[in-house]
Amino acid sequence: AASAPKPLPSSGPKSLREMPHPLATSSSEEMGPALTPSPDLLLPRSIADKDLSLPNGTPVDTSSPASSSSLLNRLQLDDDLDVETRDLFVTVDDPKKHVCTMETYITYRVTTKTTRAEFDLPEYSVRRRYQDFDWLRNKLEESQPTHLIPPLPEKFVVKGVVDRFSEEFVETRRKALDKFLKRITDHPVLSFNEHFNVFLTAKDLNAYKKQGMALLSKMGESVKYVTGGYKLRSRPLEFAAIGDYLDTFSLKLGTIDRIAQRIIKEQLEYLVELREYGPVYSTWGGLEVELSEPLEGVSACIGNCCTALEELSEDMTEDFLPVLREYILYAESMKNVLKKRDQVQAEYEAKLEAVALKREDRPKVPTDVEKCQDRVECFNADLKADMERWQNNKRQDFRQLLMGMADKNIQYYEKVCVT
């Protein structure tokens, strides 16, 4: 294992304008070529019987699925292609409720297995509460300002709407915290951060919190103390494209989130009515001997519909909505990194102007200007590399999410259909 973090490679001169916008309502020259459907969705019937295969060589059956589960079985994701090369594994599990005099809170077990030389032991197991995860994220933002830090699930819930100690809420949060740590683990820079090491290994994290651990990098200090006196003239085209993309992405994903929540609310209201509706037929059947069998059949059918609808609503609540919320927060995190990059560029432009005014007195470019230029270049390279990584994760996550929801809906209709 490497003993020091390797810098993220730049994504090269390729402009973000060349990237298709997956949520755009229309295409334009500024945002790149129009998004075209996948070739897999445009197969003419004349070649339906030909042998097709995925890029990884997996054969594709173009006939109708024999069962709904075959949809996900066909979806061959490459999540674990590099499992053999990984040297750090982290999981979050075993939530426990702690009741104290002053407060009640939940802790989670964080288990780490690694072969890296930076760790004294090959395996660690510590317990962490939500505020510890929040501490870690704040420290990563301070010490790695040029990188995109994965978002945490929101801390607060509306009182009376969600019980934060219910099994469902705790499990949803556990999954989100587990994903948060896994995204850091998979990052070639963040995973080597010393605060991350402390979070995974320290038995008493409070001791480190009291020390403050104000070990910011030079880059972090420089960004932290940039004042608002510098004003950016204009973003470079590719970063302006990133900003426009994030604005549109957040807007459209927020709309999907609101509609999905309204659908779930209406499903739950319908479920309440349905549960009252079914027993009426069963009671009626007890009074009508001649109609007893068909009435009991209707009652049983309605009961099956209740069970299937409840499962579908739970799947949307526990699997679909959290991913939408995560990526809305992810977009906000990326916007914050973009603003930090703008601050550093504005500082660099201001220093260049100051040097230009004293051109006759300067034999060469001052060192502080060169350092500021280095910070701008570092920001640009890291932000582009993290944007590319984020786009890859997003495509993979949403592909799996949407295929999974399609699968769940097919299963729902299979259960409620009477054969």
Side-chain angles (χ1 to χ4, degrees):
S3 59
K6 297 180 180 179
L8 275 176
S10 170
S11 59
K14 181 179 178 181
S15 172
L16 266 292
R17 294 175 176 275
E18 300 175 16
M19 298 171 55
H21 198 308
L23 295 176
T25 54
S26 62
S27 60
S28 64
E29 293 182 359
E30 290 186 354
M31 291 304 296
L35 182 65
T36 57
S38 169
D40 294 341
L41 303 178
L42 302 175
L43 291 176
R45 293 185 179 181
S46 60
I47 63 170
D49 297 329
K50 291 185 179 182
D51 294 333
L52 300 175
S53 62
L54 295 173
N56 61 5
T58 304
V60 176
D61 180 13
T62 58
S63 61
S64 299
S67 66
S68 60
S69 61
S70 62
L71 278 175
L72 280 181
N73 290 339
R74 292 180 189 179
L75 185 58
Q76 301 294 324
L77 298 176
D78 297 328
D79 293 345
D80 300 322
L81 289 180
D82 60 338
V83 167
E84 295 182 358
T85 64
R86 294 180 183 175
D87 53 7
L88 182 62
F89 297 86
V90 180
T91 57
V92 178
D93 59 9
D94 189 28
K96 287 185 179 180
K97 184 177 181 180
H98 301 260
V99 180
C100 302
T101 305
M102 300 298 294
E103 62 176 337
T104 302
Y105 59 92
I106 304 293
T107 64
Y108 304 85
R109 181 175 62 189
V110 178
T111 304
T112 304
K113 296 182 180 181
T114 182
T115 57
R116 290 188 179 180
E118 293 78 18
F119 293 84
D120 297 328
L121 301 174
E123 186 171 346
Y124 295 87
S125 180
V126 295
R127 297 204 70 85
R128 298 286 184 255
R129 55 187 298 185
Y130 180 90
Q131 66 180 28
D132 298 329
F133 288 86
D134 190 48
W135 171 86
L136 170 63
R137 191 179 189 283
N138 290 334
K139 287 301 179 182
L140 290 176
E141 279 194 329
E142 290 177 356
S143 58
Q144 309 283 176
T146 65
H147 289 290
L148 172 62
I149 311 301
L152 279 171
E154 290 127 321
K155 177 178 177 60
F156 300 104
V157 295
V158 180
K159 187 175 182 180
V161 176
V162 178
D163 178 9
R164 66 190 183 96
F165 297 115
S166 67
E167 292 184 6
E168 295 79 8
F169 179 80
V170 170
E171 176 59 17
T172 299
R173 172 161 286 185
R174 182 203 65 79
K175 291 179 180 178
L177 295 176
D178 182 75
K179 183 177 289 187
F180 169 72
L181 292 187
K182 280 181 169 53
R183 293 201 189 282
I184 297 175
T185 300
D186 292 339
H187 197 284
V189 174
L190 299 181
S191 63
F192 286 91
N193 186 277
E194 63 176 310
H195 304 300
F196 186 47
N197 186 307
V198 169
F199 177 87
L200 297 178
T201 61
K203 287 295 182 182
D204 183 14
L205 193 60
N206 289 327
Y208 289 90
K209 290 181 179 180
K210 292 177 181 178
Q211 294 175 8
M213 296 225 21
L215 304 176
L216 301 180
S217 63
K218 292 182 179 179
M219 173 71 72
E221 292 177 348
S222 140
V223 173
K224 183 177 180 181
Y225 295 111
V226 167
T227 64
Y230 302 115
K231 185 175 181 180
L232 183 66
R233 292 178 178 176
S234 63
R235 283 176 176 169
L237 293 179
E238 60 181 328
F239 296 109
I242 291 178
D244 293 341
Y245 174 89
L246 293 173
D247 289 339
T248 305
F249 179 79
S250 299
L251 178 64
K252 293 188 177 295
L253 211 59
T255 301
I256 294 173
D257 179 52
R258 288 191 299 273
I259 294 174
Q261 291 191 53
R262 188 166 67 243
I263 290 174
I264 293 174
K265 180 176 180 292
E266 293 174 354
Q267 285 178 340
L268 295 177
E269 292 174 349
Y270 173 60
L271 185 59
V272 171
E273 300 290 340
L274 209 58
R275 283 173 175 163
E276 296 178 358
Y277 185 52
V280 174
Y281 286 93
S282 181
T283 304
W284 184 11
L287 301 175
E288 300 278 357
V289 179
E290 296 81 0
L291 299 176
S292 176
E293 184 175 347
L295 290 173
E296 287 292 344
V298 172
S299 179
C301 179
I302 294 175
N304 290 336
C305 291
C306 287
T307 302
L309 183 59
E310 184 177 15
E311 292 176 355
L312 181 63
S313 298
E314 288 178 354
D315 290 331
M316 288 192 68
T317 302
E318 297 174 7
D319 298 329
F320 189 74
L321 291 182
V323 175
L324 296 183
R325 291 303 306 160
E326 181 196 14
Y327 272 92
I328 291 174
L329 295 174
Y330 235 137
E332 293 303 315
S333 297
M334 179 62 83
K335 290 179 184 179
N336 290 334
V337 179
L338 197 58
K339 290 178 181 177
K340 293 177 184 177
R341 193 217 73 86
D342 291 345
Q343 288 179 335
V344 174
Q345 181 184 339
E347 180 188 11
Y348 173 58
E349 290 176 352
K351 293 190 179 207
L352 278 183
E353 289 181 359
V355 169
L357 295 175
K358 303 177 181 180
R359 177 172 299 178
E360 65 280 359
D361 300 330
R362 68 174 181 87
K364 63 177 183 178
V365 178
T367 303
D368 62 331
V369 177
E370 293 178 342
K371 290 182 178 179
C372 194
Q373 182 182 12
D374 291 340
R375 290 197 296 271
V376 173
E377 293 176 354
C378 180
F379 245 115
N380 291 348
D382 290 349
L383 195 151
K384 288 192 291 183
D386 278 4
M387 182 66 179
E388 183 176 347
R389 173 183 296 274
W390 180 72
Q391 289 280 14
N392 290 336
N393 288 338
K394 176 172 62 65
R395 283 191 291 268
Q396 196 171 78
D397 288 345
F398 274 96
R399 187 183 181 197
Q400 187 174 21
L401 176 70
L402 297 176
M403 289 291 289
M405 288 309 301
D407 209 11
K408 296 295 184 183
N409 276 274
I410 292 174
Q411 291 176 16
Y412 167 74
Y413 286 106
E414 287 177 342
K415 292 176 182 177
V416 300
C417 287
V418 180
T419 57

